Amino acid sequence: MGGRRTAGRRRARRGRRRLVSLLLLALAAGALTGLALGALGGGGSILAVPALIYLLGLSPVAATTASLLIVAVTSFSALLAHSRDGHVRLRTGLLFAAAGIGPAMLGAGLSGHLPAAALTAGFAVVAAV
């Protein structure tokens, strides 16, 4: 009976170590993504999607969806910092965003119907350009 308990404890310890490793990977990838977005104003998805797929094991559709949230929240915080410094052209940004809303909705709708391999390949092509 004691052997079973010991084996169970070892599995639990390995599980906790794996969770901590995963958390550290997520924090490092998130910091890199945030740095790119804050400094360059873009590139977050190029970093976030592969990290979410290959480091954290999300499906391409889930990674793309999570990346949208990550980029939105991180971009908003960077927007506030750049706005304080007077570097934001709000009218131009809103016009550009308005032009992208329809195509973004279309792309989001299509992504749910594409095979995971096709979505990953499409992302790779866009990232390479």
Side-chain angles (χ1 to χ4, degrees), residues 10-80:
R10 271 187 251 141
R11 274 194 301 275
R13 252 185 266 123
R14 276 195 305 264
R16 281 192 296 272
R17 273 188 255 137
R18 186 179 185 304
L19 184 61
V20 168
S21 296
L22 204 58
L23 180 61
L24 291 174
L25 280 172
L27 289 172
L32 184 61
T33 300
L35 183 62
L37 280 165
L40 306 173
S45 291
I46 297 296
L47 298 170
V49 171
L52 292 168
I53 291 172
Y54 298 113
L55 295 178
L56 303 180
L58 271 64
S59 72
V61 172
T64 303
T65 304
S67 172
L68 292 170
L69 178 62
I70 292 163
V71 170
V73 172
T74 307
S75 294
F76 183 72
S77 66
L79 170 69
L80 295 177

Side-chain angles (χ1 to χ4, degrees), residues 23 84 90 93 106:
L23 180 61
R84 274 194 305 262
L90 191 59
L106 178 64

Side-chain angles (χ1 to χ4, degrees), residues 72-96:
V73 172
T74 307
S75 294
F76 183 72
S77 66
L79 170 69
L80 295 177
H82 284 288
S83 181
R84 274 194 305 262
D85 295 337
H87 299 295
V88 176
R89 290 184 169 173
L90 191 59
R91 184 174 169 207
T92 303
L94 289 173
L95 183 63
F96 196 86

